[in-house]
């Protein structure tokens, strides 16, 4: 048994398939199967139940814990000696949603690469819930999310508060409500009669992303039977379509401000959804590498200046 074997079996556990794990590792299925059989023979127990999908056994779960722990310790050792030699190298894995990534990370990456030119950055784009899980498992080193899905790690600090609003093109609003548009807008904004939005077509973000999650909570709480015209992960795309009058869109104000020009924003009505649609975006990270701490501090400094 060696480090390579542990890497192989971690891949099998994550892919739940010998064929997919072999493809990911760029080796043959026969080679991977032989490694798996060899470890099971050495340990005297089955690590996986051979079925589709492959199921990990209790012994396999225990082996996976030790394999990941050893893999992490080896990585820390390499980082330590790189630092001693004055040559920081390695890969830093950062998890963030695609909508938030280009807003937060772009200036930070430029500064980071000046200080750490030898560090490869891997940006992992996923939903907020999945990012928290990836940070838990050690698949990423840093995660930027609302962390509402829960995280047992201790390294979490808030970056800023985000607010989801409802945006709708002015002409679409007038067309939908006709002569009563002004009065309807007043009742929605002042009296919070949100059910009046029911007749407006909706453009919804993904249900696992924050904006999509809050949109569905708002719709349910308001008793709305929605007419969904489109659903997508890409909020920038949805907001561009919103400007063209395809439907109303639930979107964090920071993202809307970033992806739309002043002229396009002037074509929209923004409706506040109240404190219930506000949440904190945080940054979480794993211990063990000074480069991680440096990147986290750069993100925090940038957000302090931005807000």
């Amino acid at each position: 048994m060696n480090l390579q074997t542990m890497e192989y079996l971690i891949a099998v556990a994550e892919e739940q398939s010998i064929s997919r794990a072999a493809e990911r590792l760029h080796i043959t299925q026969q080679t991977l199967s032989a490694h798996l059989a060899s470890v099971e023979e050495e340990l005297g127990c089955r690590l996986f139940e051979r079925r589709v999908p492959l199921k990990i056994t209790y012994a396999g779960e225990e082996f996976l814990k030790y394999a990941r722990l050893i893999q992490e310790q080896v990585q820390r050792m390499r980082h330590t000696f790189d630092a001693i030699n004055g040559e920081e190298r390695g890969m830093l894995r950062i998890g963030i949603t695609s909508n938030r990534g280009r807003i937060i990370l772009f200036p930070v990456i430029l500064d980071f690469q000046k200080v750490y030119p030898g560090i490869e950055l891997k940006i992992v784009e996923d939903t907020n819930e999945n990012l928290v899980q990836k940070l838990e498992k050690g698949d990423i080193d840093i995660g930027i999310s609302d962390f509402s899905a829960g995280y047992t790690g201790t390294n979490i600090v808030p970056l800023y508060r985000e607010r989801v609003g409802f945006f709708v093109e002015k002409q679409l609003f007038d067309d939908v409500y006709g002569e009563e548009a002004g009065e309807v807008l007043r009742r929605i904004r002042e009296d919070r009669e949100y059910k009046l939005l029911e007749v407006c077509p909706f453009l919804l973000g993904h249900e696992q992303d924050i904006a999509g999650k809050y949109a569905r909570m708002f719709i349910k709480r308001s008793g709305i039977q929605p007419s969904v015209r489109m659903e997508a992960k890409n909020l920038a795309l949805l907001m561009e379509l919103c400007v063209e009058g395809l439907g109303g869109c639930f979107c964090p104000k920071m993202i809307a401000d970033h992806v739309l020009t002043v002229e396009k924003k002037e074509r929209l009505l923004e409706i506040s959804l109240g404190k219930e649609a506000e949440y904190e975006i945080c940054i979480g990270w794993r211990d063990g590498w000074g480069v991680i701490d440096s990147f986290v501090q750069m993100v925090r400094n940038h957000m302090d200046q931005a807000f």
Side-chain angles (χ1 to χ4, degrees):
M1 190 187 310
N2 53 39
L3 292 174
Q4 185 182 61
T5 301
M6 292 183 185
E7 180 186 355
Y8 286 178
L9 297 193
I10 289 172
V12 171
E14 291 177 347
E15 298 294 339
Q16 295 183 292
S17 164
I18 290 178
S19 60
R20 287 200 302 269
E23 183 178 352
R24 165 176 153 183
L25 296 164
H26 306 292
I27 61 175
T28 66
Q29 292 185 45
Q30 291 80 2
T31 300
L32 186 53
S33 296
H35 273 277
L36 175 55
S38 174
V39 173
E40 288 181 328
E41 183 179 356
E42 182 178 345
L43 296 176
C45 55
R46 303 274 289 188
L47 300 180
F48 296 92
E49 293 179 13
R50 286 8 176 226
R51 62 187 194 184
V52 181
L54 213 64
K55 184 178 180 181
I56 192 167
T57 64
Y58 173 74
E61 292 281 6
E62 290 300 304
F63 179 89
L64 198 60
K65 290 178 186 176
Y66 285 107
R68 282 183 167 144
L69 183 61
I70 291 170
Q71 195 177 59
E72 188 173 310
Q73 292 298 324
V74 170
Q75 186 180 56
R76 288 184 180 183
M77 180 186 71
R78 287 172 177 160
H79 292 329
T80 298
F81 282 96
D82 284 342
I84 291 172
N85 294 328
E87 298 177 359
E88 287 283 10
R89 290 174 295 181
M91 176 187 290
L92 181 60
R93 304 160 301 171
I94 303 149
I96 194 168
T97 64
S98 58
N99 296 304
R100 215 168 273 111
R102 80 181 208 184
I103 301 174
I104 295 176
L105 294 185
F106 180 75
V108 177
I109 288 172
L110 293 180
D111 290 342
F112 181 83
Q113 285 292 289
K114 293 176 183 175
V115 181
Y116 297 100
I119 300 297
E120 177 186 351
L121 295 177
K122 180 178 181 180
I123 309 303
V124 178
E125 296 181 338
D126 210 330
T127 63
N128 289 278
E129 184 175 333
N130 288 344
L131 290 173
V132 173
Q133 293 174 3
K134 287 179 185 294
L135 187 60
E136 276 288 3
K137 293 196 303 182
D139 294 336
I140 57 176
D141 304 301
I142 298 171
I144 296 176
S145 168
D146 71 333
F147 284 91
S148 60
Y151 176 56
T152 60
T154 57
N155 298 323
I156 303 177
V157 295
L159 290 176
Y160 66 96
R161 288 195 66 78
E162 199 165 79
R163 172 168 57 85
V164 173
F166 182 74
F167 297 85
V168 60
E169 196 252 343
K170 294 176 180 177
Q171 188 59 55
L172 173 63
F173 195 86
D174 289 342
D175 291 344
V176 169
Y177 297 101
E179 295 180 356
E180 298 181 354
E183 175 60 15
V184 169
L185 182 61
R186 184 199 66 77
R187 288 168 63 187
I188 293 172
R189 282 179 166 170
E190 296 180 13
D191 302 332
R192 303 182 72 178
E193 295 183 38
Y194 295 128
K195 188 169 173 56
L196 292 171
L197 291 171
E198 187 172 60
V199 295
C200 183
F202 289 163
L203 307 174
L204 291 182
H206 193 275
E207 62 184 350
Q208 286 188 330
D209 201 25
I210 299 178
K213 180 178 69 175
Y214 275 84
R216 287 163 178 79
M217 288 169 52
F218 170 82
I219 288 169
K220 183 177 181 180
R221 187 171 60 244
S222 302
I224 293 173
Q225 298 295 322
S227 171
V228 180
R229 184 164 286 176
M230 182 175 175
E231 181 178 336
K233 288 184 179 180
N234 191 325
L235 284 178
L237 170 63
L238 293 182
M239 286 304 296
E240 290 287 355
L241 295 174
C242 178
V243 171
E244 296 303 319
L246 266 71
C249 183
F250 296 88
C251 181
K253 178 173 172 53
M254 185 182 78
I255 293 176
D257 288 344
H258 185 82
V259 301
L260 299 179
T261 63
V262 174
E263 292 76 16
K264 289 181 177 180
K265 283 188 287 185
E266 288 178 351
R267 293 171 58 183
L268 299 177
L269 293 172
E270 180 184 354
I271 296 173
S272 171
L273 306 181
K275 293 287 186 182
E276 292 138 340
E278 290 187 11
Y279 48 86
E280 209 150 45
I281 295 296
C282 302
I283 185 166
W285 68 97
R286 299 176 65 83
D287 286 321
W289 191 15
V291 169
I292 295 177
D293 297 333
S294 295
F295 192 92
V296 168
Q297 191 57 53
M298 288 182 183
V299 173
R300 296 179 67 184
N301 290 342
H302 168 68
M303 297 312 296
D304 285 345
Q305 293 170 9
F307 287 86

